[in-house]
Amino acid sequence: ILKLQFLYLIDYLCPPFVRRSHNMQAATDRAVSPAEAVFAKVHSVAHFAYCQKESVAIKVAAYPTERLRLLMQTQHTNKTFTGVSFSTLRATLGHMRGEGSFAPWRGLTPSLVRWFPSQSIILFLKDNLNGHFPTYSKNENYAKWMGTKVGAGAATGVINALVWAYPFDVVRQHLATKNSGSWKNATSDIYSKFGMRGFYRGFVMDAPGLAIFRGVQLGGWDLMKEHYGSQWQEMGTTARFFHGQMVSLLGSVSSYPCDTIRRNLIGYDKHASYGEVFRTGIQNAGGVRRFFYAGFTARVLSSFVNGALLEGFDEYKRTAH
């Protein structure tokens, strides 16, 4: 709350100065000073953060369903809770209720540390990468035009995970699915068993999963906006939110098997191959579909933040300029 109040204060104080600097540059054609440029950048980031306050609130409120999903998704190879059934939402909720009042939010801190900078990187990087892809006409070559949109989204997801998000996600899963106590204990446990490589376990499977998810989500979002054209702005916020939710769920359905395999690999307390994880998971789950989509219901329940994020970023771009 204090962080959001601070960002709101910056957002309240910055616009007059930033508008003056832009107006001066337009009127006199002089270069903006370095101090003005830095201040404008700070305002840009702060304004984006303030526009994402709804997404942050939804993320915190929806996190218990995220932990539900992690427990259900890794139940077939996770030996921490031997004898506990995570086969249904009710059974998993009952287990979490018995752990204490704050158990549903176990792992929230690294999740937030990972999540907010990740969304900033993803959404700003996506627009920058779009400019580096070849430009095709939607009417003349629809397949290549669509491919560039999906490709930019896919590259964005993989780069973000590699440079920032992935180690925090490994720690978050460790806290959510094992009785490791604090964030410090979880980090020490991972490092003592696997070294620095432990923070990137499963990345080989996560990279194609992220490429699929972000490609469908971000590329699909851009495709929808260009498909509707001028009608897009005439839609209400709720309608745009549900369009963002739809492409996000489509990306989740497409990439979930990759996510399941890599999360079960992360859950192993010893070195294991992807083949071993795959065979053990299918054997314990009783089928490929049951293993690949374990916990997907909870994933759907926790995914409303995606629609809010996409619409919130567009709102930022509309108001920032």
Side-chain angles (χ1 to χ4, degrees):
I1 293 172
L2 289 173
K3 180 180 177 182
L4 287 175
Q5 289 174 343
F6 171 71
L7 293 174
Y8 177 76
L9 179 63
I10 294 177
D11 188 69
Y12 177 77
L13 294 174
C14 285
F17 178 87
V18 176
R19 282 197 296 271
R20 276 201 304 275
S21 67
H22 286 313
N23 291 338
M24 279 193 297
Q25 186 176 9
T28 63
D29 244 356
R30 77 165 178 83
V32 177
S33 70
E36 291 173 337
V38 170
F39 205 65
K41 287 291 185 184
V42 170
H43 166 257
S44 179
V45 174
H47 186 55
F48 170 71
Y50 181 67
C51 286
Q52 292 304 310
K53 63 185 184 301
E54 293 87 357
S55 300
V56 173
I58 295 173
K59 182 71 174 177
V60 174
Y63 186 78
T65 57
E66 275 285 311
R67 187 169 179 233
L68 272 175
R69 190 255 302 184
L70 289 172
L71 287 171
M72 296 177 72
Q73 193 175 17
T74 60
Q75 63 179 302
H76 303 300
T77 56
N78 186 2
K79 304 302 181 185
T80 304
F81 302 107
T82 303
V84 180
S85 173
F86 296 134
S87 57
T88 64
L89 285 173
R90 175 178 290 185
T92 312
L93 277 170
H95 171 76
M96 288 171 56
R97 199 177 296 120
E99 290 183 320
S101 302
F102 294 100
W105 284 273
R106 184 180 293 171
L108 176 63
T109 303
S111 181
L112 290 179
V113 172
R114 170 190 71 94
W115 184 81
F116 184 77
S118 290
Q119 306 316 308
S120 306
I121 293 169
I122 286 168
L123 294 171
F124 280 104
L125 185 61
K126 173 182 72 73
D127 287 346
N128 289 326
L129 286 180
N130 272 325
H132 293 282
F133 277 74
T135 303
Y136 296 100
S137 170
K138 178 175 65 174
N139 298 324
E140 294 177 5
N141 199 326
Y142 185 83
K144 289 185 178 180
W145 172 77
M146 183 174 66
T148 58
K149 300 294 183 184
V150 175
T156 299
V158 175
I159 292 171
N160 168 67
L162 186 62
V163 302
W164 175 259
Y166 200 81
F168 293 104
D169 193 40
V170 172
V171 175
R172 185 270 297 256
Q173 179 178 326
H174 201 83
L175 284 168
T177 60
K178 297 180 183 294
N179 293 321
S180 53
S182 67
W183 187 358
K184 180 181 178 180
N185 291 341
T187 305
S188 300
D189 189 34
I190 295 168
Y191 184 78
S192 64
K193 290 178 179 177
F194 307 104
M196 286 301 297
R197 289 187 300 177
F199 297 100
Y200 282 90
R201 293 183 77 203
F203 186 77
V204 172
M205 186 57 67
D206 188 52
L210 273 175
I212 294 169
F213 176 70
R214 294 300 181 187
V216 174
Q217 182 200 36
L218 300 179
W221 181 246
D222 286 342
L223 288 171
M224 280 190 171
K225 289 190 290 187
E226 296 198 27
H227 173 76
Y228 283 105
S230 59
Q231 296 178 354
W232 182 256
Q233 298 302 328
E234 298 173 3
M235 290 183 181
T237 302
T238 303
R240 292 195 295 266
F241 163 77
F242 279 112
H243 278 77
Q245 191 64 19
M246 184 173 67
V247 294
S248 298
L249 284 177
L250 182 60
S252 294
V253 171
S254 305
S255 62
Y256 201 78
C258 293
D259 190 60
T260 298
I261 293 174
R262 67 104 177 179
R263 288 200 180 280
N264 279 275
L265 180 71
I266 293 171
Y268 266 68
D269 288 329
K270 59 183 180 65
H271 291 281
S273 66
Y274 289 102
E276 181 181 350
V277 171
F278 183 73
R279 289 190 298 271
T280 304
I282 291 177
Q283 180 180 356
N284 293 341
V288 175
R289 185 182 61 81
R290 287 177 178 270
F291 173 58
F292 277 172
Y293 286 93
F296 189 73
T297 304
R299 167 65 176 163
V300 173
L301 294 175
S302 66
S303 66
F304 286 99
V305 69
N306 292 313
L309 172 71
L310 293 171
E311 174 54 22
F313 183 64
D314 274 11
E315 179 66 22
Y316 154 77
K317 291 194 292 185
R318 285 193 293 270
T319 58
H321 302 96

